[in-house]
Amino acid sequence: MVLVGVDLGARAAFDPSLDELALLAESAGDAPVARLVTRRKAPDAALYVGSGKADEIKALVEGHAADGVLFDQPLSAAQQRNLERKIGVPVADRTMLIIEIFAARAQSHEGKLQVELARLSYLATRLVRRWTHLERQRGGIGGRGGPGEAQIELDRRMIGERIKTLKERLERVQRQRSTQRRAREKSGAFRVALVGYTNAGKSTLFNALVKADAYAADQLFATLDTTTRSLHLEGVGRDVTLSDTVGFIRELPHKLVEAFKATLQEAADADLLLHVVDASSPRAAEQVEQVDRVLAEIGAGRVPQLLVYNKLDRLDETKRPRRLVDQVERAGGERSARVFVSARERQGLDLLRRTIVEAVQGTHGLNAGTESQPRVEPPHAAHAATSVTG
Ligand SMILES: Nc1nc2c(ncn2[C@@H]2O[C@H](COP(=O)(O)OP(=O)(O)OP(=O)(O)O)[C@@H](O)[C@H]2O)c(=O)[nH]1
Ligand SMILES: [Mg+2]
């Protein structure tokens, strides 16, 4: 794969390293062989990039014998088709790649239905565009209803029918799920859900906290289905459950968010979110913002959050925090407790457990927007802080 990124200036988010796109490609089983970054004021209507750039991409493809091109920016159906024609290999964009990864990873019946729904809804909009495009071309010739139109009309109808069936099946599965959820609600358990950017370490933390062995891997979207276990906490007179959930990503395709609403509902229904952040990522702040955005979109924006800054072991000695627990101001002026841990090295987990206990017992306003009571540092934290800073 040749990776292409187009910097549109302030108009859109841009990752000059293309590292995330490379990780996405690898997660989909494609090997990135070359990267090309270019800058434009606005996308070209026909090719997204200029025609000279397209020639450059073609040369890169030929030079590396690459089998495809991957754009970090969303391509229209026409741009994709024109690029394929010009370059001579399949061209895809980030959205399509994310949907393909979800499709390959889906395990549960519900997950598979949700992915197929997202994929077909995505395809359907492409077909519509392709269709209007053909119609425009035919307008010049003057004929009505050529074979192209009939075929596309058929495809559209088939896709439409399939989407309808999928939605019905999903509704059935989701009714079952909400029955299960009501049963859990009745049991009165306090529900904690792990949320966060993909690859932040949610599943690793889940495994460390509940001694499970959920699939954790250096891949994007390793987890697609929600897993729930009970979480044992010292000194809490209540049952607490912990759920591991699907990770988020910048510009998570809207169709996926929509299709995965039921799975994501786990986060919206939680009493507390453990928002896991890869503290070693240079883009950590941006990722927190992206996660908050998706949370708001699925109706989980008001669930109290506890920030868990993970992968502490990967931080340079000089960059490690002095205190392993503190309070930070969030967008909107709210405050959240923040705990630094290393899920892999099992570091800081006792402190995290204690902070969760405090949240369960409601001893301090996590996200409440009220002033935070002066917080007494648990003696353990000071000890842990000295042990990591040496
Ligand atoms: N160095 C280091 N690596 C970690 C730590 N926690 C997780 N990892 C690694 O980060 C990668 C991703 O971990 P996962 O637990 O699968 O992350 P996730 O957030 O569940 O990711 P998705 O399910 O794909 O969204 C794996 O390679 C883990 O071994 C940590 O504390 N330190
Ligand atoms: Mg995971």
Side-chain angles (χ1 to χ4, degrees), residues 198-199 201-204 214-217 219 221-224 244-247:
T198 183
N199 217 37
K202 297 175 294 299
S203 299
T204 309
Y215 181 57
Q219 292 173 328
F221 305 115
T223 309
L224 275 197
D244 184 22
T245 67
V246 56

mmCIF file of all heavy atoms in Angstrom, residues 198-199 201-204 214-217 219 221-224 244-247, ligand 2:
data_model
loop_
_atom_site.group_PDB
_atom_site.id
_atom_site.type_symbol
_atom_site.label_atom_id
_atom_site.label_comp_id
_atom_site.label_asym_id
_atom_site.label_seq_id
_atom_site.Cartn_x
_atom_site.Cartn_y
_atom_site.Cartn_z
ATOM 1 N N THR A 198 -8.727 3.879 20.363
ATOM 2 C CA THR A 198 -8.302 2.523 20.057
ATOM 3 C C THR A 198 -6.806 2.352 20.350
ATOM 4 O O THR A 198 -6.025 3.278 20.135
ATOM 5 C CB THR A 198 -8.647 2.143 18.594
ATOM 6 O OG1 THR A 198 -8.259 0.787 18.388
ATOM 7 C CG2 THR A 198 -7.956 3.030 17.582
ATOM 8 N N ASN A 199 -6.454 1.193 20.909
ATOM 9 C CA ASN A 199 -5.060 0.848 21.231
ATOM 10 C C ASN A 199 -4.527 1.545 22.495
ATOM 11 O O ASN A 199 -3.339 1.481 22.775
ATOM 12 C CB ASN A 199 -4.129 1.171 20.040
ATOM 13 C CG ASN A 199 -3.021 0.139 19.882
ATOM 14 O OD1 ASN A 199 -3.251 -1.044 20.102
ATOM 15 N ND2 ASN A 199 -1.829 0.578 19.527
ATOM 16 N N GLY A 201 -5.157 0.664 25.473
ATOM 17 C CA GLY A 201 -4.847 -0.345 26.487
ATOM 18 C C GLY A 201 -6.047 -0.724 27.345
ATOM 19 O O GLY A 201 -5.897 -1.246 28.448
ATOM 20 N N LYS A 202 -7.257 -0.514 26.828
ATOM 21 C CA LYS A 202 -8.470 -0.824 27.591
ATOM 22 C C LYS A 202 -8.556 -2.302 27.941
ATOM 23 O O LYS A 202 -8.818 -2.657 29.085
ATOM 24 C CB LYS A 202 -9.728 -0.428 26.785
ATOM 25 C CG LYS A 202 -9.828 1.051 26.493
ATOM 26 C CD LYS A 202 -11.025 1.360 25.595
ATOM 27 C CE LYS A 202 -10.904 0.776 24.197
ATOM 28 N NZ LYS A 202 -9.755 1.272 23.418
ATOM 29 N N SER A 203 -8.325 -3.158 26.950
ATOM 30 C CA SER A 203 -8.471 -4.598 27.200
ATOM 31 C C SER A 203 -7.384 -5.094 28.135
ATOM 32 O O SER A 203 -7.633 -5.950 28.985
ATOM 33 C CB SER A 203 -8.437 -5.370 25.879
ATOM 34 O OG SER A 203 -9.506 -4.949 25.065
ATOM 35 N N THR A 204 -6.176 -4.553 27.997
ATOM 36 C CA THR A 204 -5.081 -4.939 28.891
ATOM 37 C C THR A 204 -5.438 -4.550 30.321
ATOM 38 O O THR A 204 -5.239 -5.324 31.249
ATOM 39 C CB THR A 204 -3.774 -4.233 28.459
ATOM 40 O OG1 THR A 204 -3.576 -4.464 27.063
ATOM 41 C CG2 THR A 204 -2.577 -4.768 29.226
ATOM 42 N N ALA A 214 -9.347 -11.179 27.907
ATOM 43 C CA ALA A 214 -9.915 -10.589 26.699
ATOM 44 C C ALA A 214 -8.767 -10.350 25.718
ATOM 45 O O ALA A 214 -7.624 -10.138 26.120
ATOM 46 C CB ALA A 214 -10.598 -9.269 27.040
ATOM 47 N N TYR A 215 -9.083 -10.409 24.430
ATOM 48 C CA TYR A 215 -8.080 -10.232 23.390
ATOM 49 C C TYR A 215 -7.511 -8.809 23.415
ATOM 50 O O TYR A 215 -8.237 -7.833 23.262
ATOM 51 C CB TYR A 215 -8.718 -10.520 22.038
ATOM 52 C CG TYR A 215 -7.783 -10.395 20.863
ATOM 53 C CD1 TYR A 215 -6.612 -11.150 20.816
ATOM 54 C CD2 TYR A 215 -8.076 -9.543 19.807
ATOM 55 C CE1 TYR A 215 -5.751 -11.040 19.729
ATOM 56 C CE2 TYR A 215 -7.228 -9.436 18.712
ATOM 57 C CZ TYR A 215 -6.069 -10.188 18.682
ATOM 58 O OH TYR A 215 -5.231 -10.077 17.611
ATOM 59 N N ALA A 216 -6.213 -8.708 23.669
ATOM 60 C CA ALA A 216 -5.547 -7.405 23.630
ATOM 61 C C ALA A 216 -4.395 -7.528 22.658
ATOM 62 O O ALA A 216 -3.676 -8.521 22.671
ATOM 63 C CB ALA A 216 -5.034 -7.039 25.018
ATOM 64 N N ALA A 217 -4.238 -6.571 21.774
ATOM 65 C CA ALA A 217 -3.174 -6.688 20.779
ATOM 66 C C ALA A 217 -2.804 -5.327 20.245
ATOM 67 O O ALA A 217 -3.582 -4.382 20.335
ATOM 68 C CB ALA A 217 -3.650 -7.567 19.628
ATOM 69 N N GLN A 219 -3.086 -3.682 17.746
ATOM 70 C CA GLN A 219 -3.851 -3.510 16.511
ATOM 71 C C GLN A 219 -4.913 -2.484 16.830
ATOM 72 O O GLN A 219 -5.307 -2.360 17.981
ATOM 73 C CB GLN A 219 -4.627 -4.793 16.191
ATOM 74 C CG GLN A 219 -3.798 -5.950 15.806
ATOM 75 C CD GLN A 219 -4.687 -7.190 15.685
ATOM 76 O OE1 GLN A 219 -5.669 -7.326 16.401
ATOM 77 N NE2 GLN A 219 -4.328 -8.061 14.783
ATOM 78 N N PHE A 221 -8.715 -1.449 16.869
ATOM 79 C CA PHE A 221 -9.991 -2.147 16.954
ATOM 80 C C PHE A 221 -9.834 -3.636 17.214
ATOM 81 O O PHE A 221 -10.466 -4.459 16.567
ATOM 82 C CB PHE A 221 -10.841 -1.899 15.700
ATOM 83 C CG PHE A 221 -11.042 -0.452 15.447
ATOM 84 C CD1 PHE A 221 -10.512 0.156 14.325
ATOM 85 C CD2 PHE A 221 -11.723 0.321 16.361
ATOM 86 C CE1 PHE A 221 -10.677 1.503 14.108
ATOM 87 C CE2 PHE A 221 -11.898 1.669 16.151
ATOM 88 C CZ PHE A 221 -11.366 2.257 15.018
ATOM 89 N N ALA A 222 -8.959 -3.983 18.156
ATOM 90 C CA ALA A 222 -8.825 -5.385 18.551
ATOM 91 C C ALA A 222 -10.130 -5.850 19.188
ATOM 92 O O ALA A 222 -10.523 -6.998 19.041
ATOM 93 C CB ALA A 222 -7.660 -5.557 19.518
ATOM 94 N N THR A 223 -10.798 -4.948 19.892
ATOM 95 C CA THR A 223 -12.059 -5.295 20.562
ATOM 96 C C THR A 223 -13.246 -4.718 19.806
ATOM 97 O O THR A 223 -13.247 -3.539 19.478
ATOM 98 C CB THR A 223 -12.095 -4.675 21.978
ATOM 99 O OG1 THR A 223 -10.891 -5.018 22.645
ATOM 100 C CG2 THR A 223 -13.295 -5.165 22.758
ATOM 101 N N LEU A 224 -14.230 -5.533 19.510
ATOM 102 C CA LEU A 224 -15.454 -4.992 18.907
ATOM 103 C C LEU A 224 -16.693 -5.283 19.743
ATOM 104 O O LEU A 224 -17.668 -4.576 19.665
ATOM 105 C CB LEU A 224 -15.668 -5.569 17.500
ATOM 106 C CG LEU A 224 -14.963 -4.856 16.383
ATOM 107 C CD1 LEU A 224 -15.566 -5.252 15.061
ATOM 108 C CD2 LEU A 224 -15.055 -3.354 16.543
ATOM 109 N N ASP A 244 -15.556 -3.944 29.043
ATOM 110 C CA ASP A 244 -14.560 -3.541 28.054
ATOM 111 C C ASP A 244 -15.334 -3.238 26.772
ATOM 112 O O ASP A 244 -16.263 -3.958 26.428
ATOM 113 C CB ASP A 244 -13.585 -4.709 27.823
ATOM 114 C CG ASP A 244 -12.454 -4.346 26.883
ATOM 115 O OD1 ASP A 244 -12.170 -3.134 26.730
ATOM 116 O OD2 ASP A 244 -11.845 -5.262 26.308
ATOM 117 N N THR A 245 -15.001 -2.158 26.095
ATOM 118 C CA THR A 245 -15.792 -1.783 24.919
ATOM 119 C C THR A 245 -14.915 -1.492 23.711
ATOM 120 O O THR A 245 -13.695 -1.475 23.802
ATOM 121 C CB THR A 245 -16.652 -0.523 25.189
ATOM 122 O OG1 THR A 245 -15.764 0.590 25.357
ATOM 123 C CG2 THR A 245 -17.497 -0.664 26.436
ATOM 124 N N VAL A 246 -15.583 -1.237 22.596
ATOM 125 C CA VAL A 246 -14.898 -0.921 21.347
ATOM 126 C C VAL A 246 -14.178 0.430 21.462
ATOM 127 O O VAL A 246 -14.652 1.339 22.134
ATOM 128 C CB VAL A 246 -15.925 -0.912 20.189
ATOM 129 C CG1 VAL A 246 -17.050 0.042 20.460
ATOM 130 C CG2 VAL A 246 -15.277 -0.583 18.866
ATOM 131 N N GLY A 247 -13.014 0.534 20.838
ATOM 132 C CA GLY A 247 -12.259 1.777 20.894
ATOM 133 C C GLY A 247 -12.759 2.810 19.895
ATOM 134 O O GLY A 247 -13.471 2.489 18.948
HETATM 135 MG MG MG B 2 -9.550 -3.730 23.286
#
